[in-house]
Amino acid sequence: KTKSERFKAGLNTIAAEFGVFVQVRGKGLLIGCELAPAWKDKAKDFMNAAQAEGLLILQAGPNVIRLAPSLIIPDADIDAGLAAFRRAVEKLVRKAA
């Protein structure tokens, strides 16, 4: 539960900073981020941007990205992954502007 809350807090921070998600949801460490209307049908772009930063995220339809990390992921890896994902989102937003 603590790890899920850590992930969701980080993702909500990214959502607030860049306005890319309307909702971060999930159960445990199976987490989905629903894209904002301005990013409709762009889940694959987020997946590719994350991959360029060394992260593997999934697509759960055209408007939801999914994170499904190991249940034993260390907190340091959560923080590093969120930092890399933030960089990916920042680059994607900058490219779209």
Side-chain angles (χ1 to χ4, degrees), residues 7-95:
F7 258 114
K8 288 177 183 175
L11 292 167
N12 280 317
T13 298
I14 292 168
E17 185 175 357
F18 298 105
V20 292
F21 309 133
V22 292
Q23 184 181 33
V24 175
R25 60 181 182 246
K27 197 166 212 165
L29 289 180
L30 185 59
I31 301 167
C33 302
E34 183 180 348
L35 298 178
W39 294 94
K40 184 178 187 321
D41 298 331
K42 303 279 188 202
K44 187 171 184 174
D45 294 344
F46 282 85
M47 190 175 68
N48 292 336
Q51 185 177 10
E53 292 294 325
L55 296 175
L56 177 62
I57 64 171
L58 306 169
Q59 188 177 343
N63 298 312
V64 177
I65 59 167
R66 176 173 292 155
L67 289 82
S70 167
L71 295 175
I72 58 169
I73 186 171
D75 288 347
D77 288 352
I78 293 173
D79 296 341
L82 287 168
F85 186 60
R86 187 199 170 283
R87 287 191 304 272
V89 170
E90 182 178 25
K91 288 177 183 177
L92 189 60
V93 168
R94 226 183 308 142
K95 183 180 173 183

